[in-house]
Amino acid sequence: MIQEDIFKKIIAHCKEYGFIFPSSEIYDGLGAVYDYGQNGAELKNNIRRYWWDSMVRLNENIVGIDSAIFMHPRIWEASGHVSAFNDPLIDNRDSKKRYRADQLIEEHLEKIEDKIQKEVEKARQKFGEAFDEQKFRTTHPRVLENQKKYDDTKKRYITALEKENLKDLHQIILDTGIVCPVSGSKNWTDVRKFNLMFSTQLGSVSDDANTIYLRPETAQGIFVNFLNVQKTGRMKIPFGIAQAGKAFRNEIVARQFILRMREFEQMGMQFFIKPGTETEWYNYWKEKRMRWHKALGMGDHKYRYHDHDKLAHYANAACDIEFEFPIGFKEVEGIHSRTNFDLGNHEKFSGKKIQYFDQDTNESYTPYVIETSIGLDRMFFTIISNSYTEEKVDWEGSAKEERVVLKIPPALAPVQLAVLPLTRKDGLPAKAREIMDRMKFDFNCQYEEKDSIGKRYRRQDAIGTPFCITIDHQTLEDDTVTIRYRDTLKQDRAAVEKLPEIMGDKVSLQKLLKSL
Ligand code: GAP
């Protein structure tokens, strides 16, 4: 199946099974804003907990905070967001569609890369074992021609970005013949700067002095609380402050479901360190964060690092952890070496001394910072898109049938146990409720009695429930139930009292955390 089709199917599945709804749907929706439904909210909570516990519980020197979304407007001047948090936008006059100029060029570069890769794969198939890729890449005329196009364009592009030269970005789009994906035309406007921050007014008087911004990143709430936390928590460097919360960006192009939203959630941690130790800590957090992702068991080959070509205004080194979605590799998390840019600027703009006194060396300094920042919504989509499986299975001995199952890592599943009385008669529902009442303190359970047992199993598969138990007449006699496993479809008979032991290990967040 074409990957784009899978992407669409997953979006439809998210809606049909209560994971994600378009926001304000009865009013025809609101661009790039989404609501999480009953199953989505549970999954999101579980991801957030996995992240929070791995940061705050497992590291004695990391604490968590929850700062306000509204902040003093000077903060965004100090952080550089007022002057530098811009995207270069361009319009196509024929389609009236708006694009990010940098994304148009990057997509163009990706297409050239794909062309080269296709030539290489074709040759590999033709020559088999004897194929020498290095030699092919450095001698084949079409590959060489495309590689040159790629290198030249990339060089111009990076220079234009670094110098924030909008005219050059425009010229690259014209010179490379990039067309509008909708109209197919090259009728482009100039490239303009567009600030991504949403603004609003504080209080009842509407003038510029009262303009405040919805935070575009959670990080600044941490920086402005550096002294509060360091002093009240008696924190010694190196230490970290974590927080999870909403961020807002007026994205120009937001056509990728929850991968690019205007309101989204970030889980960020700022790690304060001694100047000069940044390379060591940057590498430490790069490796540690990758381990957190891979511990979910979704396939190590689905992740890669991507070093930034152009560094953000605050960073001296930066990379992304990318995940392979159905539409290709995309960033899920950023790791940035932010130097002392933020604390230094807040000191300058606020006039308050923001320094750390090192009692061991008797010196004061502005700490450097390593940041890890992961989008909760993007993380949500790594799990959903990786879990979505269509497969043919035997339903209790019948002919093969198709099922859609979400193979969500059990520790994060929105529902961990479905409690299903076989029929609605003979006291089975009452017995099922009794079991549910025992289990619900340890596991997120769902009770269902409507429809045939097969249909109920399929509904549970579709939301990723790892365990279903069926209560039947034998249960009334010996307190045993049938356990049905989501991934293997295996069914076992087990005593109710053994359920916590059987399930506990598999759905345990604790076990996942211990594996880190
Ligand atoms: N404080 C650093 C910072 O904000 P970022 O790379 O712009 O860095 C961090 O954002 C993470 O937030 C990204 O890796 C991504 O997962 C997520 N993110 C950023 N913009 C987003 C958007 N418009 N929609 C959804 N997630 C987004």
Side-chain angles (χ1 to χ4, degrees):
M1 201 186 314
I2 304 167
Q3 294 300 298
E4 286 283 338
D5 291 344
I6 294 182
F7 190 61
K8 283 187 192 143
K9 277 190 171 191
I10 296 172
I11 295 172
H13 189 89
C14 280
K15 179 158 182 241
E16 190 178 346
Y17 288 96
F19 283 90
I20 299 174
F21 307 124
S23 168
S24 324
E25 198 185 5
I26 57 170
Y27 291 93
D28 296 333
L30 188 65
V33 186
Y34 292 91
D35 297 336
Y36 285 82
Q38 64 281 15
N39 291 316
E42 292 288 348
L43 176 55
K44 216 174 162 194
N45 282 342
N46 294 343
I47 299 169
R48 198 189 293 104
R49 170 130 319 268
Y50 174 43
W51 178 84
W52 182 273
D53 285 358
S54 75
M55 284 290 175
V56 175
R57 270 205 183 184
L58 299 192
N59 296 286
E60 281 173 34
N61 60 347
I62 299 182
V63 291
I65 64 164
D66 183 13
S67 71
I69 287 171
F70 292 149
M71 299 168 78
H72 196 286
R74 290 275 283 162
I75 286 172
W76 305 111
E77 288 172 37
S79 69
H81 284 81
V82 171
S83 59
F85 197 51
N86 301 308
D87 275 347
L89 72 82
I90 188 166
D91 293 288
N92 183 269
R93 291 194 187 93
D94 298 321
S95 67
K96 310 269 182 273
K97 291 275 175 205
R98 179 161 284 180
Y99 298 91
R100 270 176 58 178
D102 55 336
Q103 280 179 355
L104 285 177
I105 299 171
E106 275 172 24
E107 278 161 21
H108 176 75
L109 287 168
E110 270 169 32
K111 277 187 200 148
I112 303 179
E113 259 185 330
D114 284 352
K115 266 191 204 162
I116 297 173
Q117 199 53 37
K118 270 193 193 132
E119 293 275 6
V120 171
E121 291 312 321
K122 219 165 75 188
R124 193 192 308 283
Q125 288 201 343
K126 189 170 159 194
F127 297 114
E129 296 267 294
F131 182 59
D132 180 344
E133 182 174 336
Q134 173 71 8
K135 191 165 167 209
F136 182 78
R137 280 181 182 271
T138 47
T139 53
H140 189 273
R142 254 196 322 270
V143 170
L144 284 175
E145 190 189 327
N146 277 324
Q147 190 62 49
K148 182 165 169 20
K149 268 192 210 161
Y150 179 91
D151 293 340
D152 291 349
T153 310
K154 179 126 190 196
K155 198 165 158 217
R156 282 179 69 192
Y157 169 58
I158 301 292
T159 314
L161 279 185
E162 276 168 1
K163 297 196 170 143
E164 294 189 12
N165 190 331
L166 302 181
K167 276 206 175 115
D168 276 2
L169 283 180
H170 183 237
Q171 201 54 47
I172 295 170
I173 289 176
L174 298 185
D175 292 350
T176 50
I178 293 173
V179 295
C180 166
V182 176
S183 67
S185 92
K186 298 178 195 163
N187 194 3
W188 296 111
T189 61
D190 286 341
V191 177
R192 300 185 306 287
K193 260 190 192 177
F194 179 77
N195 192 289
L196 299 183
M197 283 197 294
F198 285 102
S199 63
T200 185
Q201 303 291 323
L202 190 73
S204 58
V205 184
S206 167
D207 65 26
D208 281 353
N210 292 321
T211 297
I212 58 166
Y213 300 98
L214 271 70
R215 67 179 178 202
E217 63 168 15
T218 51
Q220 298 304 324
I222 293 178
F223 294 128
V224 297
N225 278 297
F226 168 77
L227 286 180
N228 285 336
V229 175
Q230 193 269 316
K231 295 216 158 91
T232 57
R234 287 176 288 121
M235 309 300 291
K236 282 185 95 176
I237 275 181
F239 74 90
I241 305 178
Q243 93 159 319
K246 289 277 178 132
F248 304 84
R249 295 182 189 176
N250 198 2
E251 299 283 358
I252 303 169
V253 184
R255 295 184 196 122
Q256 292 180 331
F257 193 41
I258 57 167
L259 293 180
R260 195 164 290 284
M261 302 158 89
R262 296 201 165 100
E263 174 182 339
F264 58 100
E265 189 163 337
Q266 287 185 325
M267 304 187 291
M269 192 278 298
Q270 311 297 323
F271 199 69
F272 299 95
I273 54 170
K274 196 173 173 173
T277 62
E278 61 270 25
T279 307
E280 174 198 329
W281 284 112
Y282 175 67
N283 290 332
Y284 173 88
W285 281 107
K286 251 176 93 168
E287 195 268 319
K288 200 164 159 94
R289 291 305 303 149
M290 187 60 106
R291 209 164 345 123
W292 182 90
H293 285 277
K294 289 186 175 171
L296 288 170
M298 300 201 291
D300 290 3
H301 62 287
K302 300 241 164 160
Y303 300 90
R304 70 179 187 197
Y305 292 112
H306 174 251
D307 289 324
H308 286 199
D309 291 325
K310 181 195 179 251
L311 295 175
H313 56 276
Y314 49 72
N316 73 355
C319 73
D320 298 331
I321 292 177
E322 293 187 337
F323 183 79
E324 191 175 15
F325 293 100
I327 49 170
F329 274 96
K330 302 268 171 220
E331 168 191 352
V332 182
E333 174 156 9
I335 294 125
H336 312 124
S337 173
R338 289 183 82 126
T339 66
N340 58 3
F341 175 90
D342 300 273
L343 291 183
N345 265 13
H346 286 308
E347 183 169 274
K348 227 185 285 166
F349 278 69
S350 69
K352 309 270 171 6
K353 193 173 165 204
I354 307 180
Q355 299 257 312
Y356 173 79
F357 178 68
D358 192 329
Q359 286 171 340
D360 298 334
T361 59
N362 255 350
E363 54 173 349
S364 285
Y365 57 81
T366 311
Y368 268 43
V369 171
I370 304 298
E371 162 182 77
T372 71
S373 180
I374 171 172
L376 176 49
D377 311 271
R378 285 202 194 168
M379 188 59 209
F380 185 103
F381 202 59
T382 64
I383 289 170
I384 289 281
S385 65
N386 196 68
S387 312
Y388 182 90
T389 314
E390 293 176 1
E391 60 186 19
K392 288 220 185 289
V393 290
D394 276 322
W395 294 112
E396 289 96 43
S398 67
K400 281 206 184 292
E401 243 186 74
E402 188 130 304
R403 76 162 175 166
V404 174
V405 53
L406 293 186
K407 296 188 174 175
I408 297 176
L412 303 183
V415 176
Q416 295 166 323
L417 175 68
V419 180
L420 315 172
L422 187 62
T423 68
R424 286 203 255 187
K425 300 182 297 195
D426 306 329
L428 298 185
K431 180 70 186 167
R433 289 232 178 256
E434 182 198 308
I435 296 173
M436 169 108 176
D437 285 344
R438 274 156 69 185
M439 303 295 287
K440 71 184 178 192
F441 293 98
D442 294 316
F443 305 101
N444 192 8
C445 304
Q446 192 171 84
Y447 176 87
E448 266 213 298
E449 58 177 35
K450 196 167 172 289
D451 293 326
S452 72
I453 195 74
K455 268 196 182 159
R456 281 180 274 165
Y457 283 157
R458 260 160 278 179
R459 275 206 296 270
Q460 293 299 330
D461 284 345
I463 63 168
T465 307
F467 298 94
C468 291
I469 55 168
T470 307
I471 287 82
D472 55 19
H473 293 89
Q474 195 184 328
T475 314
L476 301 178
E477 287 161 22
D478 62 7
D479 220 30
T480 63
V481 291
T482 304
I483 308 183
R484 187 252 195 194
Y485 299 87
R486 177 193 72 192
D487 297 345
T488 59
L489 297 170
K490 216 176 102 204
Q491 300 200 10
D492 282 340
R493 195 87 200 166
V496 173
E497 63 180 13
K498 292 266 176 219
L499 287 176
E501 195 183 308
I502 296 168
M503 290 173 52
D505 227 27
K506 299 213 170 57
V507 301
S508 157
L509 185 57
Q510 229 183 55
K511 193 172 172 217
L512 185 56
L513 290 166
K514 277 186 186 162
S515 74
L516 291 175

